[in-house]
């Protein structure tokens, strides 16, 4: 480097690490992260992208913008309520508060009156039983898949799980129920055919090797036409006659029937129809944190809770706190989005459309997350040029639109109304960047 090369005057690392802006950030960010920010700014100066005199300011700006997590909040303008790629259910205000409170030391496994150890997650269990009185007992595990693994392991390891061929489904990318069940050491005893399964099919398969009967709600597709399945009530008759437990994996998480989702199974009905234990996810239609919820007969749930595997799949304090608060607090965002007033959605869409000079079109939202396939959620969308989608995603706040039919559609169903102004600003910025389009 020549004597007069301006790069010689790039501020040194220790100097930059001592900047007031960096000092202030030490509470929030680790030393290796701060060093990384400093080195990045120095490299930019070495490449000539900024002058040595600008390095300190660049470090200050980068440190202020840097957060300890790279996860970015997203405004979900897709109209898909339970969006798996966006972390499924957004939490309610009550659940967010509960999360923050549970982040410190909490009495998750302690009786503060006696000072003695208590049963873990008592409050979440009580909230579940209050929300679903048809259940005698409840257990919370890590997720729905863990609930299924626990149930089939505890009831049928080394024996058979009798299940209809029409219910051997793939839930999400690469998650196949039959493979998951086989991994537990239980053997799958498939009965019936893809489109039709009858009570006799089950009856013929049940024998001394049967560990349990399994009913799976094939949540993400629908078989239509020449079909037959045995409902939970019919399976209960068979299970009771042979003295084997009946497990129902509903996935979606409705505790009671929802008129907005006709045909979507719910825990209460499944229990009333005779299921011994019902499995659902916490972060689908229940609208809570990732969790697997098992609800059912006291004896069956106790048997699962006592299995050693239950310890390996137990829910953490954050999920327990958020789940309890989801049930005890006001309607979670998932419920609000599912039951959004179409007139209000239309008024909001028209307001946004007028502000950005774009048309409003009819648009159906969807439940998503493998729930209620084929059930449209009628609403509205603001239609932008397709080219707006990329800058919207990359913007601040990040906005995820639906790209469909050569257009970028913004459905406000899953956008909290309080965020309408931020969304409007984000759309204006994205459109301005398109250079006159839209
Ligand atoms: C979603 C789903 C699961 C898996 O639940 P996770 O919480 O995603 O682990 C299992 N079974 C059914 C029927 C489902 O819909």
């Amino acid at each position: 480097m020549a004597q007069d090369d301006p790069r010689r005057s790039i501020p040194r690392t220790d100097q930059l690490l001592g900047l007031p802006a960096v000092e202030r950030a030490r509470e929030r960010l680790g030393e290796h992260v701060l060093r990384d920010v400093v080195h990045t700014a120095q490299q930019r100066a070495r490449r000539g992208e900024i002058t040595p005199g600008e390095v300190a300011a660049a470090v200050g700006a980068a440190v202020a913008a840097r957060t300890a997590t790279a996860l970015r909040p997203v405004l979900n303008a897709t109209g898909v309520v339970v969006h798996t790629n966006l972390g499924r259910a957004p939490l309610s205000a009550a659940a967010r508060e509960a999360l923050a409170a549970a982040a410190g030391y909490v009495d998750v496994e302690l009786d503060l009156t006696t000072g003695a150890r208590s049963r873990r997650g008592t409050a979440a269990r009580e909230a579940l039983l209050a929300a679903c009185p048809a259940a005698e007992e409840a257990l919370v595990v890590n997720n729905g898949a863990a609930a299924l693994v626990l149930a089939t392991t505890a009831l049928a390891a080394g024996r058979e799980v009798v299940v209809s061929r029409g219910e051997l489904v793939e839930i999400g990318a690469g998650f196949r129920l039959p493979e998951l069940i086989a991994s537990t050491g239980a053997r799958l005893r498939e009965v019936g055919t893809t489109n039709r399964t009858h009570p006799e099919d089950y009856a013929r398969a049940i024998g001394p090797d049967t560990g349990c009967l399994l009913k799976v709600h094939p949540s993400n597709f629908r078989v239509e036409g020449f079909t037959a399945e045995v409902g939970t009530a019919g399976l209960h008759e068979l299970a009771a006659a042979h003295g084997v437990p009946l497990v129902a994996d509903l996935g979606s998480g409705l505790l009671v029937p929802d008129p907005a989702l006709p045909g979507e199974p719910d825990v209460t009905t499944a229990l009333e129809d005779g299921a011994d234990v019902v499995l659902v996810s916490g972060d689908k239609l229940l609208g809570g944190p990732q969790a697997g919820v098992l609800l059912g007969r006291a004896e069956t749930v106790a048997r699962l809770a006592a299995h050693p595997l239950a310890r390996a799949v137990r829910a953490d304090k954050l999920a327990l706190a958020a789940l309890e608060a989801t049930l005890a607090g006001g309607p979670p965002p998932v419920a609000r989005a599912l039951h959004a007033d179409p007139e209000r959605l239309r008024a909001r869409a028209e307001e946004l459309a007028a502000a950005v000079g774009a048309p409003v079109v009819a648009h159906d939202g969807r439940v998503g997350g493998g729930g209620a396939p084929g059930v449209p959620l009628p609403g509205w969308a603001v239609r932008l040029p397709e080219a707006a989608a990329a800058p919207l995603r990359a913007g601040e706040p990040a906005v995820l639109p639906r790209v469909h039919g050569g257009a970028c559609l913004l459905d406000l169903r899953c956008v909290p109304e309080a965020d309408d102004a931020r969304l409007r600003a984000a759309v204006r910025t994205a459109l301005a960047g398109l250079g006159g389009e839209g």
Side-chain angles (χ1 to χ4, degrees):
M1 215 186 279
Q3 270 303 318
D4 57 350
D5 190 319
R7 288 176 297 179
R8 292 186 70 90
S9 54
I10 293 173
R12 291 197 327 269
T13 302
D14 54 348
Q15 251 178 304
L16 293 167
L17 284 173
L19 287 172
V22 176
E23 284 294 348
R24 281 196 301 276
R26 282 214 158 78
E27 278 273 299
R28 292 189 297 117
L29 298 171
E31 203 59 29
H32 64 292
V33 174
L34 295 172
R35 278 180 182 274
D36 189 51
V37 167
V38 162
H39 290 157
T40 302
Q42 289 169 323
Q43 269 158 14
R44 289 182 63 201
R46 278 185 210 110
R47 288 195 299 263
E49 293 167 20
I50 53 178
T51 66
E54 286 165 346
V55 170
V59 167
V63 147
R66 186 75 158 80
T67 48
T69 168
L71 283 178
R72 291 187 58 203
V74 177
L75 293 181
N76 174 10
T78 61
V80 178
V81 178
V82 179
H83 200 301
T84 301
N85 301 148
L86 296 180
R88 291 196 180 157
L91 293 181
S92 66
R96 288 167 196 239
E97 264 179 46
L99 268 188
Y105 293 121
V106 275
D107 58 346
V108 66
E109 224 174 291
L110 180 79
D111 182 336
L112 285 171
T113 315
T114 61
R117 182 176 167 190
S118 71
R119 176 173 173 166
R120 184 180 176 87
T122 308
R125 169 182 171 270
E126 279 164 10
L128 279 166
L129 296 180
C132 186
E136 295 170 4
E137 188 53 282
L139 176 68
V140 185
V141 297
N142 210 16
N143 57 16
L148 184 60
V149 166
L150 177 60
T152 48
T153 304
L155 301 176
R159 298 200 291 156
E160 292 181 346
V161 175
V162 180
V163 62
S164 162
R165 290 201 168 87
E167 298 171 8
L168 294 174
V169 295
E170 176 169 311
I171 304 287
F175 170 29
R176 296 182 165 170
L177 244 80
E179 291 172 3
L180 188 74
I181 295 168
S183 78
T184 69
R187 291 190 304 279
L188 269 185
R189 180 72 185 260
E190 304 175 15
V191 301
T193 62
T194 306
N195 58 329
R196 290 171 70 84
T197 303
H198 306 282
E200 311 83 77
D201 296 321
Y202 288 96
R204 269 198 300 275
I206 299 173
D209 255 6
T210 305
C212 64
L213 303 192
L214 174 65
K215 174 86 188 153
V216 179
H217 170 55
S219 48
N220 48 7
F221 74 102
R222 191 164 275 184
V223 182
E224 278 173 28
F226 187 55
T227 64
E229 66 171 313
V230 185
T232 306
L235 284 179
H236 167 67
E237 275 183 34
L238 287 160
H242 292 87
V244 293
L246 171 60
V247 178
D249 179 7
L250 301 190
S252 55
L254 279 188
L255 296 183
V256 294
D258 185 335
L261 303 172
E264 189 65 20
D266 67 279
V267 178
T268 300
T269 306
L271 290 173
E272 284 170 358
D273 284 348
D276 293 289
V277 61
V278 180
L279 322 176
V280 297
S281 294
D283 53 358
K284 295 180 179 171
L285 294 179
L286 197 57
Q290 177 184 305
V293 178
L294 303 101
L295 291 149
R297 282 158 37 84
E299 190 197 336
T300 315
V301 177
R303 193 171 153 196
L304 304 190
H307 192 279
L309 186 61
R311 174 61 179 82
V313 295
R314 79 174 185 190
D316 76 307
K317 62 176 180 172
L318 299 178
L320 290 169
L323 181 63
E324 179 197 358
T326 299
L327 295 163
V334 164
R336 287 179 192 277
L338 285 176
H339 300 118
D341 171 15
E343 281 318 304
R344 187 68 207 134
L345 285 177
R346 179 174 199 159
R348 290 171 60 204
E350 278 170 354
E351 205 176 313
L352 173 61
V356 303
V360 171
V361 294
H363 182 252
D364 286 345
R366 282 183 295 121
V367 173
V375 177
L377 303 172
W380 309 93
V382 176
R383 195 179 69 211
L384 303 178
E386 189 176 347
L392 278 170
R393 287 194 306 269
E396 179 54 49
V399 177
L400 186 69
R402 175 170 186 226
V403 175
H404 180 71
C408 166
L409 300 168
L410 299 173
D411 184 324
L412 302 190
R413 177 179 298 278
C414 309
V415 178
E417 200 163 333
D419 282 326
D420 279 0
R422 293 172 71 224
L423 176 61
R424 190 160 58 234
V427 174
R428 282 198 175 119
T429 306
L431 290 178
L434 295 185
E437 264 186 276

